[in-house]
Amino acid sequence: MRVLFLPLLFGVISINAQFVPEKSTFFGGSNVDNLLEIATATDGGIYGTGYTYSSGLATSGSFQSTNAGQDDAIICKFDESLNLLWSAYFGTSGSDFPRGMAVLDNGNVVVVGSTTSQSGLYAPGGLPISSGSGFILMLDENGNRRNECDHPSR
């Protein structure tokens, strides 16, 4: 049986081959939260990314635990039962929007997006950024930031 996961505001709904909802969850805070992309993880879990104005969404130990700007990207992972495993913000003082996401064969997840932030998003030794730049963020399956891929896209 094929299960389809659909973005739903900032949540996920699972439907079976007959389009009958099987399970769902919401994830968000007290402000604007938008889920833009979802992808199935190699271990059966579900990644989600979007943007948020809310605070308090990052899980303990995440690489960025607070919303640092107007709106930051949020990346999260749910298990097969749609329980939240981890979540983290990504952004600085400007607006940071994810535009796409892919799960690699090794379980890492890559998020690409755009930013109006002018500093703070790139890895040590990365390219300088300017307003209107893009970003590439790589995380391992446990939500740990992989710095070798955090360079802006231009």
Side-chain angles (χ1 to χ4, degrees):
M1 173 189 331
R2 180 163 164 75
V3 176
L4 178 66
F5 296 97
L6 303 170
L8 180 65
L9 296 175
F10 208 107
V12 178
I13 186 169
S14 166
I15 60 174
N16 65 20
Q18 291 75 39
F19 297 100
V20 175
E22 294 183 331
K23 52 192 164 190
S24 64
T25 189
F26 285 98
F27 176 73
S30 61
N31 215 318
V32 175
D33 308 299
N34 287 293
L35 179 65
L36 301 174
E37 292 276 334
I38 58 172
T40 304
T42 53
D43 62 5
I46 300 107
Y47 288 105
T49 190
Y51 66 92
T52 183
Y53 289 82
S54 294
S55 59
L57 299 182
T59 53
S60 177
S62 68
F63 67 87
Q64 183 176 331
S65 60
T66 61
N67 185 330
Q70 303 166 21
D71 37 26
D72 278 358
I74 187 88
I75 304 97
C76 53
K77 185 177 180 185
F78 300 91
D79 66 15
E80 292 180 47
S81 298
L82 301 182
N83 298 304
L84 181 65
L85 298 175
W86 57 260
S87 63
Y89 293 100
F90 184 69
T92 60
S93 61
S95 296
D96 308 291
F97 294 104
R99 303 290 185 193
M101 178 174 51
V103 179
L104 306 178
D105 289 341
N106 64 1
N108 289 347
V109 62
V110 177
V111 178
V112 297
S114 61
T115 181
T116 63
S117 298
Q118 295 190 17
S119 65
L121 290 183
Y122 55 90
L127 302 172
I129 63 174
S130 61
S131 183
S133 290
F135 66 81
I136 302 170
L137 170 66
M138 184 185 293
L139 304 173
D140 68 18
E141 61 190 12
N142 298 312
N144 300 307
R145 188 170 171 176
R146 304 294 308 260
N147 286 336
E148 68 270 14
C149 197
D150 290 343
H151 303 283
S153 60
R154 67 169 169 147

